[in-house]
Amino acid sequence: MIRYLVTGGAGFIGSNYIHYLFDKYDNNVHVINLDKLTYAGNPDNLKDVENRPNYQFVKGDICDAALVDELVPRVDIIVNFAAESHVDRSIGDPDAFIKTDIYGAFVLLESARKHKIKKFIQISTDEVYGSILDGSFKETDTLEPSSPYSASKAGADRLAFSYYVTYKTPVIITRCSNNFGMFQYPEKLISLFVTNALENKQLPVYGDGKNIRDWIFVLDHCDAIDFLITNGTLGQVYNIGGGNEKTNIDITRLILQKLDKPASLITWVTDRPGHDRRYSLDTNKLTALGWKPQYDFDSALTKTINWYKDNTLWWSKIKTGEFLDYYKKHYKL
Ligand SMILES: NC(=O)c1ccc[n+]([C@@H]2O[C@H](COP(=O)([O-])OP(=O)(O)OC[C@H]3O[C@@H](n4cnc5c(N)ncnc54)[C@H](O)[C@@H]3O)[C@@H](O)[C@H]2O)c1
């Protein structure tokens, strides 16, 4: 029985990862989910697993060293998803990003070192490399993060590496591209645009819409993490990508087409400051180990759209109050 501490497990990727673990390993895993339940953490994401005897939810902060020290001796593996994760919010209010993404990772690493954890997976991001116009980033390339979000993630990424080098803490670092899928807080491109289109609301596209991201279905990301826990080498960094580079405007048009909604819903808004033009990952290091994504982009997007269609209550509960205030102020809509 492998015992996991999943941090940030009530968020988008963390909750999909917990579902993935139970679907794959059923009663042969034990999961403690440590989550602060910020605006992005949602207990609804885990309703179907909350009564499992091999699942425990702990509401708390990864920056709380005493709490972390209580939990870490009870697990074999830490998978650190907990983070402030929205670039736009990091521009207006970087404070929480520095605290959670860097200091929180430090608290977890210290506890992992002290209690001799078997494995520590630091979930980093492709955004740590910054923008690239031609070619793709390899794991050995220079990091040039350009937002407070990506800079704080780069700090944690390198701190985790330093714990491997200095203390031999068994760390693996993953840098994944843009995820999409079920349970994504509806402020990110695909979840926001699908839900706005379902409500016949405007789809705010930044700048000229030609920013390029590589997209991966969230369950492929979860699968790659699971694969690396078994097959990855300690102290190494692995890029994880879906091999689906798309412009924002192409994705927007595809969503409208799949939902049979008019192009007139597209609304051009002023670009965000420091908006990286293109992200691209070279994933040969991971694929050489024998892993590849299972989902093709088009069918995973349809699956995702259908999930938001079938779970209106999940997102309509979120898209009220604080969400709408932030949204209107941010996009000036
Ligand atoms: N979403 C993507 O496309 C993407 C791509 C690559 C990497 N990542 C990384 O994956 C991780 C998860 O991303 P996500 O999209 O699921 O984010 P999310 O914002 O949906 O979830 C983050 C979760 O962390 C929790 N949290 C925040 N601060 C905390 C704290 N101090 N202590 C405990 N819990 C806290 C929140 O309550 C929330 O449940 C992040 O580390 C992010 O940087 C995301």
Side-chain angles (χ1 to χ4, degrees):
M1 154 95 65
I2 300 180
R3 300 165 306 162
Y4 290 83
L5 175 62
V6 175
T7 68
F12 163 47
I13 306 174
S15 62
N16 276 288
Y17 183 66
I18 292 173
H19 282 119
Y20 171 93
L21 286 178
F22 288 137
D23 286 347
K24 183 162 180 182
Y25 299 110
D26 197 11
N27 290 328
N28 297 315
V29 283
H30 188 276
V31 176
I32 300 177
N33 171 13
L34 172 61
D35 197 297
K36 187 179 172 184
L37 295 184
T38 66
Y39 78 95
N42 186 349
D44 285 353
N45 298 0
L46 293 156
K47 268 211 160 10
D48 55 331
V49 303
E50 66 189 12
N51 293 322
R52 289 187 75 112
N54 54 341
Y55 173 72
Q56 186 193 353
F57 176 68
V58 178
K59 183 175 184 310
D61 193 328
I62 59 165
C63 299
D64 179 346
L67 174 62
V68 167
D69 260 345
E70 250 178 63
L71 301 177
V72 169
R74 293 199 241 144
V75 300
D76 306 302
I77 299 178
I78 299 174
V79 186
N80 180 27
F81 292 100
E84 290 293 335
S85 71
H86 192 41
V87 179
D88 289 352
R89 290 185 190 248
S90 84
I91 295 167
D93 189 12
D95 189 75
F97 287 75
I98 309 305
K99 283 188 186 128
T100 290
D101 300 11
I102 303 184
Y103 185 75
F106 160 71
V107 168
L108 292 169
L109 284 161
E110 264 301 283
S111 190
R113 169 168 89 96
K114 197 157 53 174
H115 298 291
K116 301 200 175 357
I117 198 82
K118 290 193 185 133
K119 244 166 230 183
F120 187 108
I121 314 299
Q122 173 60 21
I123 306 298
S124 189
T125 165
D126 65 347
E127 301 202 23
V128 297
Y129 295 113
S131 193
I132 188 167
L133 288 182
D134 295 306
S136 302
F137 285 119
K138 283 189 163 51
E139 289 82 351
T140 45
D141 281 329
T142 311
L143 306 188
E144 285 189 19
S146 56
S147 70
Y149 163 65
S150 52
S152 68
K153 292 296 293 185
D157 176 317
R158 292 299 77 198
L159 190 66
F161 179 70
S162 80
Y163 268 63
Y164 171 74
V165 176
T166 311
Y167 306 114
K168 297 284 168 280
T169 306
V171 165
I172 291 175
I173 298 149
T174 64
R175 297 181 186 149
C176 189
S177 60
N178 272 39
N179 285 225
F180 66 101
M182 307 71 70
F183 303 114
Q184 186 163 32
Y185 191 84
E187 66 182 353
K188 304 280 169 74
L189 184 85
I190 291 184
S191 51
L192 176 68
F193 284 12
V194 170
T195 57
N196 275 15
L198 286 169
E199 294 180 291
N200 297 311
K201 282 191 178 155
Q202 295 155 294
L203 273 46
V205 177
Y206 281 132
D208 63 2
K210 301 244 174 77
N211 300 69
I212 295 174
R213 299 291 179 263
D214 170 53
W215 291 91
I216 183 169
F217 186 54
V218 64
L219 292 181
D220 272 330
H221 184 189
C222 296
D223 191 55
I225 296 166
D226 185 60
F227 177 86
L228 284 170
I229 287 175
T230 311
N231 299 290
T233 302
L234 299 180
Q236 293 292 309
V237 176
Y238 294 92
N239 289 341
I240 303 173
N244 302 298
E245 287 189 29
K246 312 262 179 220
T247 62
N248 289 349
I249 189 64
D250 282 347
I251 298 226
T252 308
R253 293 208 172 100
L254 200 54
I255 290 170
L256 290 172
Q257 187 195 322
K258 283 182 185 287
L259 282 170
D260 202 16
K261 298 283 180 180
S264 56
L265 287 180
I266 296 172
T267 302
W268 300 97
V269 294
T270 311
D271 211 354
R272 75 170 169 230
H275 198 175
D276 287 334
R277 194 65 174 166
R278 174 172 174 260
Y279 295 145
S280 181
L281 290 178
D282 178 328
T283 56
N284 283 326
K285 186 171 171 182
L286 172 60
T287 53
L289 293 178
W291 184 85
K292 60 174 185 338
Q294 299 297 312
Y295 292 85
D296 77 88
F297 178 78
D298 196 72
S299 57
L301 183 62
T302 304
K303 188 177 164 74
T304 301
I305 290 176
N306 288 339
W307 187 85
Y308 287 94
K309 266 184 179 168
D310 294 343
N311 290 277
T312 317
L313 191 60
W314 181 87
W315 54 265
S316 56
K317 264 163 85 177
I318 298 172
K319 291 179 99 174
T320 58
E322 188 272 334
F323 175 93
L324 285 183
D325 293 344
Y326 172 80
Y327 177 83
K328 281 182 198 145
K329 203 166 125 204
H330 183 73
Y331 290 108
K332 301 186 176 59
L333 288 175

